[in-house]
Amino acid sequence: MIQSLGWLVFTVGIYWASKQLYRFFPKVYLTPLLVAPVVVILSMSISGATFDQYDEGAGWLTKLVEPATIALAITLYRHMDILKKNAWAIAVSVTAGAVLAIVTSAALAIGFGLDPSVMESLAPRSATTPIAISISGSMGGVPTITAVATLITGLIGLMAGPLIVKWCSIKSPVARGILFGTSAHSAGISKALEYDMVTGSVASIAMMVTAFVTLLAAPWLVGVLSSLA
Amino acid sequence: MKNLFKTAAQVVFFIILAEVSDVIVAKLYLPVSGSVVGIMLLFGLLQIKAIRMEWIELGSKWLLAEMLLFFIPAAVGITKYKSLILHSGMVIFITIFCSTILVMVLAGILGERMVRGRREEAQ
């Protein structure tokens, strides 16, 4: 009990410290989502704690992911006019991005000779975690692999996204929001919110549209691709 | 101090809303996640003015600002899949990396073009 509570406090403390670090050195590889887990994992292996012991206390933080996602409704509500004005651009770009995510994940997995169940687990990784997991399970994928793949997707989006924005000179907040929400679900949204609220609200819409498109298209696209392979 | 209590109370509101959304998803066998239902529910409540923005603004700001904190245990959870990572971790990583980059480039450029096109049309 005290030990698991200790891990909770420790995680919050490390998060706070890594946030300060990021404030002074805003480098992509110093994002708290990379630094804090690395420090926690190192501390766990030093102290010999298992993940279940850790998660007993720190897992309470996971329960706040859903309330935080729901809080995005406020940014959506506030920026409804911008969303309506750009509805067409958002719908087309997000759908194209979500379909590309499924196709490239499945095609690369097939090309690398990965097991079909791993391929099915990777295909829905662009959708938000709970949806990606349920799609994966319904297709014959392994939900735990999907959970890890979705997480890695979020980290890559978070770290590489700002570079893509710069290199491809994506200047409009709407397009930036599309980029982050389509590719990297909630982790992408947290990065999008660092730009401004419009980027964040477009990213949240993009995340939702991606989830719906993946839900509808993933089983079908994966079926077509595996019959071609 | 007063703001601290307000923020905490509002965060509790969001937690309750999340629980309610999960129950709705489970009872109606909806194919979407509780968070999507929750977003729609709260959006609707704001739209019909059953809830005012001022009542929940502080809590939402805190939740959104600290979002990364809530993902840390999940990220630490990667340690559970040691054998998978050792076995085909690199190939899986390359697959995810290439795919994610391609998606960002396509969605970003397409979005930028379409937004710009609409703006020029309006002028």
Side-chain angles (χ1 to χ4, degrees):
Chain A
M1 179 66 200
I2 288 173
Q3 196 198 11
S4 56
L5 210 69
W7 281 116
L8 175 64
V9 175
F10 181 71
T11 304
V12 175
I14 293 295
Y15 165 75
W16 184 83
S18 60
K19 213 178 158 181
Q20 299 304 314
L21 179 75
Y22 183 72
R23 185 178 291 168
F24 290 109
F25 305 102
K27 302 272 180 223
V28 283
Y29 51 83
L30 289 182
T31 171
L33 191 53
L34 192 62
V35 173
V38 167
V39 174
V40 171
I41 290 171
L42 287 177
S43 318
M44 276 168 69
S45 63
I46 291 168
S47 72
T50 63
F51 177 73
D52 290 330
Q53 283 167 338
Y54 171 79
D55 203 45
E56 212 187 306
W60 287 96
L61 294 170
T62 311
K63 292 197 192 303
L64 287 173
V65 169
E66 198 181 331
T69 312
I70 293 175
L72 289 167
I74 293 182
T75 58
L76 291 183
Y77 181 74
R78 189 168 286 157
H79 301 290
M80 206 51 207
D81 51 329
I82 292 163
L83 296 175
K84 266 189 196 154
K85 235 186 278 168
N86 295 285
W88 192 234
I90 294 172
V92 172
S93 324
V94 176
T95 305
V99 168
L100 186 71
I102 302 163
V103 170
T104 52
S105 306
L108 284 167
I110 293 169
F112 283 131
L114 287 169
D115 193 74
S117 71
V118 177
M119 183 269 282
E120 280 150 5
S121 313
L122 295 183
R125 52 154 199 93
S126 218
T128 169
T129 310
I131 295 181
I133 286 174
S134 74
I135 299 170
S136 161
S138 73
M139 288 194 301
V142 184
T144 47
I145 300 180
T146 305
V148 176
T150 312
L151 182 82
I152 296 171
T153 301
L155 265 174
I156 293 171
L158 192 81
M159 292 168 73
L163 298 175
I164 306 277
V165 164
K166 213 189 281 171
W167 291 338
C168 298
S169 58
I170 313 291
K171 297 212 171 65
S172 102
V174 174
R176 284 177 183 170
I178 291 170
L179 183 153
F180 282 107
T182 309
S183 63
H185 50 91
S186 2
I189 296 174
S190 73
K191 193 77 208 173
L193 286 165
E194 276 181 33
Y195 286 89
D196 50 63
M197 288 314 260
V198 173
T199 309
S201 64
V202 174
S204 12
I205 276 282
M207 179 192 80
M208 291 202 272
V209 175
T210 303
F212 280 115
V213 172
T214 310
L215 191 69
L216 296 175
W220 179 70
L221 286 172
V222 166
V224 170
L225 282 167
S226 20
S227 70
L228 287 177
Chain B
M1 205 57 195
K2 206 180 151 202
N3 268 356
L4 191 71
F5 280 121
K6 265 194 192 166
T7 306
Q10 294 178 6
V11 169
V12 170
F13 165 79
F14 281 104
I15 294 172
I16 293 170
L17 197 59
E19 295 291 328
V20 171
S21 310
D22 284 343
V23 170
I24 293 175
V25 167
K27 287 262 176 274
L28 300 180
Y29 302 104
L30 297 177
V32 293
S33 68
S35 42
V36 171
V37 171
I39 289 177
M40 289 176 175
L41 204 62
L42 181 56
F43 190 88
L45 289 171
L46 286 166
Q47 194 83 310
I48 62 166
K49 312 243 184 285
I51 286 179
R52 278 168 192 253
M53 197 84 100
E54 310 90 86
W55 298 348
I56 48 174
E57 207 165 18
L58 280 175
S60 82
K61 267 195 189 140
W62 183 82
L63 282 167
L64 293 179
E66 311 303 343
M67 196 125 109
L68 288 184
L69 170 65
F70 315 140
F71 288 112
I72 292 175
V76 174
I78 241 178
T79 50
K80 278 191 294 185
Y81 309 105
K82 244 180 234 157
S83 68
L84 178 77
I85 292 164
L86 288 177
H87 188 238
S88 38
M90 205 56 212
V91 180
I92 292 177
F93 180 82
I94 293 169
T95 302
I96 299 174
F97 182 82
C98 296
S99 173
T100 306
I101 300 289
L102 287 172
V103 171
M104 287 195 285
V105 170
L106 175 77
I109 290 180
L110 200 58
E112 180 82 2
R113 288 258 168 98
M114 288 189 74
V115 170
R116 211 185 286 159
R118 197 187 47 75
R119 217 178 279 148
E120 273 157 22
E121 222 170 81
Q123 277 165 4

